[in-house]
Amino acid sequence: FKDGLPFDLKRDKLLYIYTFSLLAQLEVLAIQVPLRFEDKMSTPQFKQQMRAQLLDEIFHGMVFTKIVYM
């Protein structure tokens, strides 16, 4: 992001704001839903794998939010 957005705007800026806002909100859901079922995971390996996936979802949410603010 040091040189601006990682892509060129080819349409109206508002379309990108709506799209990346939606993606950021979906990432929040992708974090919340698995956390509700963490207690039901049968093995520690599954819990560890889920935590790694949650880190990815948090990163994606941060990237999408940064794009919206830019």
Side-chain angles (χ1 to χ4, degrees):
F1 291 111
K2 72 178 181 177
D3 297 325
L5 290 173
F7 56 88
D8 294 325
L9 298 179
K10 296 183 181 177
R11 301 207 191 301
D12 183 33
K13 191 174 184 178
L14 194 58
L15 174 69
Y16 293 99
I17 291 172
Y18 289 153
T19 301
F20 285 100
S21 293
L22 173 67
L23 290 172
Q25 290 174 9
L26 290 174
E27 291 296 334
V28 170
L29 283 176
I31 295 166
Q32 289 177 342
V33 172
L35 284 176
R36 291 184 184 220
F37 298 102
E38 182 179 15
D39 297 342
K40 295 179 173 49
M41 296 240 170
S42 57
T43 64
Q45 179 186 358
F46 290 149
K47 286 184 181 184
Q48 183 180 10
Q49 187 176 7
M50 184 189 74
R51 295 234 177 235
Q53 182 64 37
L54 289 176
L55 285 175
D56 288 344
E57 302 303 336
I58 290 168
F59 174 75
H60 296 149
M62 290 171 49
V63 168
F64 295 149
T65 302
K66 176 73 172 177
I67 290 172
V68 169
Y69 282 115
M70 291 182 80

